[in-house]
Amino acid sequence: MPKQDKELQTKYLELQYIIQQITQIQQQILAIQNQLLDLRNLKENLNKLNEIKSDKETIIPLGYNIYTKASLKDAKEFLVNVGSSVLVEKNITETNEFIDEQIKAIEEFLGNFELELTQLEIKGQKLQKELSELAQK
């Protein structure tokens, strides 16, 4: 196999690997963006819940489009899972701060993935250009 063909094959395989990495990172970014959306919705719902008067009937989502009617006794205190299935009682301010910390951490994580994606895209474009030049020789 001529040297040029071997180099072309090597660069092509490298490009395929980069494309695979880009696809995986894009999927991870999408999952992280969904987590952020869920946290922001949670914060909004938490604040709406805080506006509901005690002993007022409301509808509570159980999951997968299933709801139940319930009466709220106290919408001012919340049980927050802080890890290892440990629940801590927090008021609305503390709960919002907890959610804000999670949002901030996830946004930083997302920024790192986006930076990595940009670097891979630049590397992929460079490889495509090199492949094109090698194929023309």
Side-chain angles (χ1 to χ4, degrees), residues 100-111:
D100 287 340
E101 289 170 9
Q102 290 180 321
I103 288 172
K104 184 179 176 185
I106 290 173
E107 284 175 337
E108 288 176 17
F109 198 61
L110 179 62

Side-chain angles (χ1 to χ4, degrees), residues 44-105:
E44 183 179 327
N45 291 337
L46 189 68
N47 290 324
K48 285 180 184 176
L49 186 64
N50 192 42
E51 296 169 5
I52 296 174
K53 294 177 182 164
S54 294
D55 294 322
K56 183 173 180 178
E57 190 172 281
T58 187
I59 297 174
I60 306 292
L62 298 175
Y64 201 68
N65 296 322
I66 307 294
Y67 299 83
T68 188
K69 292 179 184 177
S71 293
L72 291 174
K73 297 291 181 198
D74 184 12
K76 306 293 183 222
E77 299 293 325
F78 304 93
L79 296 174
V80 178
N81 185 342
V82 293
S84 299
S85 297
V86 174
L87 299 177
V88 174
E89 192 170 292
K90 293 182 180 275
N91 64 32
I92 186 78
T93 303
E94 294 167 330
T95 305
N96 273 320
E97 288 170 356
F98 181 79
I99 294 169
D100 287 340
E101 289 170 9
Q102 290 180 321
I103 288 172
K104 184 179 176 185

Side-chain angles (χ1 to χ4, degrees), residues 17-28 117 120:
Y17 179 70
I18 288 174
I19 290 170
Q20 185 180 32
Q21 285 181 307
I22 286 172
T23 301
Q24 288 173 349
I25 290 174
Q26 287 172 332
Q27 290 170 351
Q28 290 170 327
L117 179 63
L120 282 171

